[in-house]
Amino acid sequence: MKTKLSHTQLMVPVYINEKIVLDMLAIIEDGFSMVSQVNSSEQKESTSGQIGSVNATTSLLNKLLKIDLKGDISHTGNVGESENISKEKVHTNVSLLSKFRTTLESEKLLDTTSDISNTKIGSFIELEGELQKNPLIDYMDKIIDMFRMVDIFSDEPDLGNKKNASLQKKKESQIIKQIKEFSAELKHSGTIDFILSGSNGTIVLSAQEQYLANDNISEIIGGKFKILGKVIAICKDSSESIDLLRKTTLSVLTDEILADFFAVFKNDDMKQFNLPELVTKIKGPAMIVIPIAIYA
């Protein structure tokens, strides 16, 4: 009898770490095959005395699901015919993810409480909320966009001011170049942090860019998603914090030197723009989670 499906099983991921899913299922099942075979037989009445075989492959199904149909047909006298059908079914990365999540849930290994104070390192958690970019990256990206928009709507200088305008333009180009290089430094490890804020604390997701659907961050930002992941660090209270520069060379600098470094972004010229707060650390309660999947 076919089991009833839930909407959680029919997930649509925008991020899925396929390697972790495969590794976890291999551990759970002591090794597994991505191909399964299902045999079935049917009894049909027939007056034919022929014996033969059927071997058919539906081209569309074969391309999408890799399903092959093979059959042997035989009959005895006038009793009828027996048809044996063999089907090969291949899992996709999403079906394996759904299977893995269902196993965690059935084995009571999935924490959905979002209570950081009672969460343990190594726990599998599932949370729901609206994801935001790493505040540092978001800040730098907005500055770059701001300069771009100013350039679009700026008036053409008159002849007397062209030299000054050219110098100003060169200075802005240099600033944009430095900001882009700094933003790239925040992602140089191939990972990018996403932030999930809630009433019980802040979750920092250390995601690998290679597993983003279509390599498109914009699909994640602003939407409400569920996150399945594994906890790797916990800050119980405000006396502890998560450093958003921990993956960069700037992590070796003291707070005083960093304050001087970022002072250029807090001058009067920047205050006239509606820029987000420049944040380099996330105070507890907070935790770092390796996302296995982000899905709707």
Side-chain angles (χ1 to χ4, degrees):
M1 183 176 178
K2 189 174 181 180
T3 57
K4 187 177 180 180
L5 289 172
S6 68
H7 70 279
T8 308
Q9 289 175 286
L10 300 174
M11 54 183 63
V12 180
V14 293
Y15 176 97
I16 174 171
N17 190 321
E18 301 166 6
K19 184 179 184 303
I20 291 180
V21 174
L22 291 174
D23 287 343
M24 294 299 100
L25 282 175
I27 293 172
I28 291 169
E29 300 189 11
D30 193 23
F32 71 97
S33 173
M34 291 185 68
V35 180
S36 59
Q37 183 168 316
V38 179
N39 296 314
S40 62
S41 61
E42 295 180 4
Q43 190 72 25
K44 298 180 180 180
E45 292 188 2
S46 173
T47 57
S48 172
Q50 296 181 352
I51 299 176
S53 64
V54 175
N55 189 345
T57 301
T58 305
S59 59
L60 180 61
L61 290 178
N62 187 48
K63 289 179 181 178
L64 297 178
L65 302 177
K66 298 182 181 178
I67 297 178
D68 295 328
L69 302 178
K70 298 178 182 179
D72 295 322
I73 300 175
S74 62
H75 72 89
T76 304
N78 295 322
V79 175
E81 61 182 22
S82 176
E83 185 179 46
N84 297 314
I85 300 175
S86 175
K87 299 179 182 179
E88 287 187 347
K89 295 185 178 181
V90 179
H91 276 291
T92 67
N93 55 355
V94 180
S95 67
L96 290 174
L97 169 63
S98 181
K99 182 178 181 181
F100 172 55
R101 187 205 167 279
T102 300
T103 301
L104 289 178
E105 192 174 39
S106 63
E107 295 293 331
K108 302 188 184 306
L109 296 173
L110 191 59
D111 182 0
T112 59
T113 61
S114 72
D115 185 359
I116 294 177
S117 61
N118 291 322
T119 302
K120 296 181 180 179
I121 291 178
S123 300
F124 287 102
I125 64 169
E126 184 180 62
L127 305 171
E128 185 174 14
E130 185 174 314
L131 293 177
Q132 300 297 330
K133 277 184 185 179
N134 178 331
L136 271 175
I137 296 176
D138 189 36
Y139 190 91
M140 299 304 163
D141 287 347
K142 279 184 168 56
I143 290 179
I144 293 171
D145 290 340
M146 179 190 69
F147 276 113
R148 181 173 57 84
M149 293 303 295
V150 168
D151 185 54
I152 290 173
F153 291 103
S154 62
D155 296 327
E156 185 69 24
D158 56 40
L159 293 175
N161 293 325
K162 273 196 172 181
K163 185 176 180 180
N164 291 335
S166 177
L167 291 173
Q168 181 66 22
K169 181 74 173 176
K170 186 176 180 179
K171 182 180 178 181
E172 289 177 0
S173 297
Q174 182 63 27
I175 293 173
I176 292 173
K177 180 183 177 183
Q178 290 174 338
I179 292 174
K180 285 182 176 179
E181 288 176 350
F182 177 68
S183 183
E185 173 68 13
L186 294 171
K187 310 173 192 175
H188 83 284
S189 61
T191 63
I192 182 171
D193 287 339
F194 292 98
I195 308 298
L196 179 65
S197 299
S199 57
N200 294 323
T202 305
I203 313 298
V204 177
L205 300 174
S206 183
Q208 296 188 43
E209 288 188 287
Q210 63 176 316
Y211 295 120
L212 286 170
N214 304 318
D215 297 323
N216 192 356
I217 294 176
S218 62
E219 289 190 4
I220 291 180
I221 302 302
K224 197 168 186 179
F225 295 96
K226 285 192 174 183
I227 297 95
L228 174 65
K230 195 173 182 68
V231 179
I232 61 169
I234 298 175
C235 300
K236 294 289 187 181
D237 53 53
S238 58
S239 65
E240 302 175 285
S241 62
I242 297 172
D243 188 0
L244 296 177
L245 293 170
R246 67 192 184 282
K247 303 173 189 176
T248 73
T249 53
L250 293 178
S251 62
V252 300
L253 302 179
T254 64
D255 290 341
E256 291 76 15
I257 295 176
L258 283 175
D260 292 338
F261 180 84
F262 288 113
V264 66
F265 300 113
K266 298 180 179 180
N267 57 34
D268 292 336
D269 291 336
M270 290 299 181
K271 289 180 181 178
Q272 63 181 311
F273 301 105
N274 186 26
L275 291 169
E277 183 183 0
L278 184 58
V279 177
T280 61
K281 291 185 178 180
I282 303 294
K283 291 186 178 180
M287 58 185 173
I288 302 176
V289 172
I290 294 178
I292 298 172
I294 301 172
Y295 53 91

